Amino acid sequence: MRIFLVGFMGAGKSVIGRLLSKSLNLDFYDLDSEIESKYRTTVSSIFAKYDEACFRKLETTVLQSFSDNDNFVMSCGGGTPCFNNNMELMNSLGITVYLKLPSDVLATRIYNSVKTRPLTAEKSQEELAEYVEKTLGNREPFYSMAKITIDCTNADKDEIVEQIASAIANYQ
């Protein structure tokens, strides 16, 4: 079983992924962490030293390297599904799950996050809200290609994990 969690930054993919992997007794991988480990640098450094296009190529390479692995949950970066046919790749390899939240909730989470994100680091709260709304609109067609969509708006972490596990059981 291969499960790929997709959605916008701040949707909780890493947190939910860790909990889901424990619940289903599967390995957990965070795609950004795997990129950092393989290339021995941070995602922020890749964006700063090169550009987003370079990062997206590395991201696809690392994602493709998991085609030989089984029994895992992977949290993917917010843009992963939108480049290099990655969504099609993930759908061919396993079950994709879109963690869906409205743009205002995402913007608040990102703004209040202690984690620095390369694409939003220098934005004011207003600029961030506009960026999230616009970018989410552009990415939604890719996210909606997921095999399973979970509305996370009014659910806590445990409820989301239960919903995903149930949806996966019904999907198979």
Side-chain angles (χ1 to χ4, degrees):
M1 179 181 304
R2 299 177 186 125
I3 302 167
F4 299 92
L5 300 182
V6 301
F8 206 80
M9 68 179 94
K13 299 177 299 288
S14 295
V15 170
I16 297 301
R18 283 184 189 89
L19 294 171
L20 182 64
S21 69
K22 285 181 185 171
S23 173
L24 299 176
N25 197 28
L26 299 172
D27 292 332
F28 173 74
Y29 299 99
D30 179 284
L31 185 56
D32 284 350
S33 296
E34 294 300 311
I35 293 166
E36 291 177 342
S37 176
K38 179 175 174 91
Y39 296 103
R40 297 184 180 166
T41 189
T42 65
V43 170
S44 295
S45 295
I46 296 168
F47 271 81
K49 190 172 182 180
Y50 304 101
D51 59 12
E52 184 177 5
C54 175
F55 171 76
R56 297 301 175 191
K57 288 177 186 170
L58 301 177
E59 179 180 58
T60 299
T61 299
V62 174
L63 183 61
Q64 289 170 335
S65 74
F66 276 84
S67 63
D68 294 331
N69 294 29
D70 286 315
N71 300 316
F72 66 83
V73 174
M74 176 179 285
S75 66
C76 300
T80 304
C82 311
F83 296 89
N84 306 321
N85 296 313
N86 288 338
M87 194 64 184
E88 290 86 350
L89 174 63
M90 291 183 285
N91 275 330
S92 73
L93 293 175
I95 299 172
T96 48
V97 180
Y98 171 26
L99 301 183
K100 185 173 184 160
L101 282 166
S103 64
D104 60 326
V105 173
L106 292 165
T108 299
R109 284 185 177 189
I110 296 164
Y111 186 77
N112 293 326
S113 174
V114 296
K115 181 179 178 183
T116 304
R117 300 166 191 271
L119 294 175
T120 61
E122 303 298 319
K123 295 187 181 343
S124 70
Q125 192 166 4
E126 286 180 16
E127 291 169 330
L128 180 61
E130 290 173 17
Y131 171 82
V132 171
E133 187 172 349
K134 179 182 177 195
T135 307
L136 179 61
N138 292 337
R139 291 179 177 182
E140 186 72 32
F142 296 96
Y143 296 155
S144 65
M145 292 168 59
K147 294 177 179 178
I148 297 168
T149 297
I150 303 293
D151 183 349
C152 301
T153 308
N154 295 310
D156 68 24
K157 294 179 279 194
D158 294 329
E159 291 170 332
I160 294 167
V161 169
E162 287 177 25
Q163 288 178 38
I164 295 169
S166 176
I168 289 170
N170 291 331
Y171 187 83
Q172 295 178 326

